[in-house]
Amino acid sequence: MRWPRQLMSLLVVLVLLVGPPAVLLAVVDPPISGWPTSRQVRAWVQQPLTEQTLTAALTIGAWLIWLMLAYTVALRVLARLRATSALLRRLPLPTPLQATASGMAGAAVLGITTDTAATAPEHPPQPAAAGTTTLHDGAGPDGTDNRTIADADGISVAGGWLPRDVAIQVSAAASLVWLRRRRDYQPGPASTNQQDSDLAPLPRTVASVQAALADTPAPPAQPSSYAITGLHDVLPAGGIGLIGEGALSVGRGLLVTTLLARQHHPAASLIVSSAALISLLGPAAQSLIKRLPLTIVENPDEAARLVRAAERPEHTKVPRQTQGTPSISGHPAVVILDGEDCAGGDLKHLAAASIETAATLIVLGQWPAGPTWHADSAGHLYDPHDPAMPRLRLCVLDHVAATDLLAVIAPVELTAGATAVPVAAPEPMRPNPRLPRQRSHLFAADTPRQRLHVRVLGDPQLLIDGEPLPVRRSAALQILVYLATVHPTGADAAQLTDAIWPGLPHHALTGRLYTALSDLRTSIRDAGGLHVIDHADDRYRLNPAHLDVDLWHLNAALRHATTAITPSTEAWQAVVDAYPADLAEGRAWPWLDPIRETIRRRIIDVCAASAAAEPDPDRALNLLQAGIRIDPYNAALQKRANRLLHVCGDDNAETGVGRPNRR
């Protein structure tokens, strides 16, 4: 137990603090009884090494050592007290309404009779106070593993906090990135070893947001982003200044939130000063501002003219804008300035312009023309002169998180010859190596007759003798699909946790991983006595002796079609037939996108290559139509199909799914 050791350590520290001074005071006089006289100084100079001087030196040394020990203990105690007080400040306190509701709920629970316990559900939902942080741990009422850190209003990621509607917009922006990649991909020669430069995974902050949204149920509909629809209604008219430890984090959150909201409000405008961009983004500002849809100003006068341009655009001279910036008229603007910008310019003119046009004006620092609020590290804003004012919470992001999200809002367009971070493609063939040495308890004495089948193309399912076997935890299902697609020869615990719980520390995820694996193994063992996940050499792998995966058959068909000396039409058709749907269709796991797109590209490469080798235009068109059904967003397939339609004399026909195949 820990408390006896802690008590013994406390007693030892007390003995060391109290014992030496008591001994020194009892045996020897105090170290300093007074200043030495001139006679004592002359005697010490004439004969410094006497018994009395040596005793005094040793006594002073002992007291110095004790003082160092006491100083060290005092520092540790102060650090522990500071950490405890910080933890207590972060603890959410219930509001009076929540406290009243909790008291009523407690009274109701104590008044329930014992008969009610017999009919209580096995996994009753646990209430959580609104606005407080909740750790969803384990399986929920429906058996899904929704363990993640979130609260009722938003999602916490490494480096910040996002309102839920902003997190949804981040996920939508990530989906648009992959749709652009699908649209711009140029199908090439069919190959099982192809790795494209634009399949790099999205930044870790984006993956964390996607994982949190995938694992937590959607709450009731929330209002749209504050930066566009309602922020000017809750902030003082004429702008505010922001000070405090969270001022820059709130500024970054406002910058990202406004740019995300522009996807739904294209006419919205974001005006930022050069000094504010440097303060918020640092060196990354120079590479990002060229791709961000915002307007840059140098002083408050330019910002005021732009704000008024919504009413009189014909009389306003617009300063330089970044590439792709739309007209700023038609919607209230969001203006972000730095405190240094307030040193010059007509601040009253800017404040009046923001009042007249309902613009949102935020100054990172003191705002001489209006109130200045305080922003804490969690994103709460409050007026120091009005303690009764309810605190408003905005999105907060540190430098890394903001840069990750801005990279998704303004993605880098890869041109021919450009390079990116390589992504590991799924292994093209079904693994059939010699099984490593396993622990003695892994295999039963009798070989089971049942065989498991994992379906990952389409809705992922685990089938035993053709019958679906429910997987209670979403993390367990992710592990199963991840091992079947990305690492059929095995993955270690770090790879699994990085994929399933991105952005969270490994030491906090070991229990989650073991719980999900144990639950999956238990479910399969209880259903058919099979062992499908081996653990050897600190790696987890699927056991191909007891399990089959549909993706492995697709990879085998691809290998046969691409390595044959004279590939036949039947071989190409076998590849298309083995691909009934996208990988884990309908699932939003963040690690899926690169692997899903890699597999999809292999199939449309097959369709494009077989169509190019087909001399009959009608058959070639049918092959291209098969590729369009697999990826209707790919522009290259559409253009090739249109050219074949022109060759066939059917210019008015559809190139997609709706057109019947011509035999």
Side-chain angles (χ1 to χ4, degrees), residues 102-119:
S102 301
M104 295 174 62
V109 169
L110 293 177
I112 294 177
T113 61
T114 56
D115 295 337
T116 310
T119 60

Side-chain angles (χ1 to χ4, degrees), residues 23 78 120 132 222 333 416 556:
V23 172
L78 289 176
T132 60
Q222 298 289 333

Side-chain angles (χ1 to χ4, degrees), residues 3-30:
W3 68 267
R5 293 196 299 269
Q6 294 176 350
L7 180 60
M8 185 60 65
S9 301
L10 179 61
L11 291 177
V12 171
V13 171
L14 290 177
V15 169
L16 291 176
L17 289 178
V18 178
V23 172
L24 290 174
L25 291 175
V27 177
V28 188
D29 292 336

Side-chain angles (χ1 to χ4, degrees), residues 309-328:
E311 295 181 351
R312 295 187 300 273
E314 65 276 8
H315 298 103
T316 304
K317 181 181 178 181
V318 180
R320 63 188 179 96
Q321 299 180 1
T322 60
Q323 183 178 3
T325 303
S327 172
I328 66 170

Side-chain angles (χ1 to χ4, degrees), residues 137-339:
D137 197 350
D142 56 351
T144 59
D145 184 2
N146 60 354
R147 175 167 36 189
T148 184
I149 297 179
D151 57 40
D153 300 321
I155 293 174
S156 297
V157 297
W161 177 88
L162 295 85
R164 184 170 290 271
D165 60 315
V166 177
I168 294 174
Q169 293 174 13
V170 170
S171 181
S175 300
L176 286 177
V177 171
W178 286 106
L179 286 178
R180 293 191 196 100
R181 294 179 177 181
R182 292 175 61 180
R183 178 199 62 190
D184 300 336
Y185 174 68
Q186 297 291 328
S191 172
T192 58
N193 298 319
Q194 180 173 330
Q195 292 187 10
D196 298 317
S197 59
D198 64 337
L199 289 181
L202 298 182
R204 180 173 293 272
T205 304
V206 181
S208 301
V209 172
Q210 291 177 306
L213 290 177
D215 287 343
T216 55
Q222 298 289 333
S224 57
S225 173
Y226 276 127
I228 294 298
T229 61
L231 192 57
H232 63 276
D233 295 331
V234 295
L235 294 181
I240 64 168
L242 288 183
I243 60 174
E245 55 183 345
L248 291 180
S249 298
V250 170
R252 297 187 195 99
L254 184 60
L255 178 70
V256 171
T257 300
T258 307
L259 293 175
L260 284 170
R262 287 190 68 260
Q263 300 177 6
H264 303 283
H265 303 273
S269 60
L270 175 62
I271 304 170
V272 187
S273 68
S274 300
L277 278 176
I278 297 300
S279 299
L280 294 176
L281 303 180
Q286 299 301 323
S287 61
L288 281 175
I289 58 176
K290 298 179 180 179
R291 308 194 311 269
L292 292 175
L294 53 83
T295 304
I296 303 174
V297 297
E298 300 298 336
N299 53 63
D301 293 333
E302 291 184 5
R305 289 196 298 270
L306 278 176
V307 170
R308 292 187 182 278
E311 295 181 351
R312 295 187 300 273
E314 65 276 8
H315 298 103
T316 304
K317 181 181 178 181
V318 180
R320 63 188 179 96
Q321 299 180 1
T322 60
Q323 183 178 3
T325 303
S327 172
I328 66 170
S329 60
H331 203 283
V334 176
V335 184
I336 303 177
L337 302 179
D338 191 77

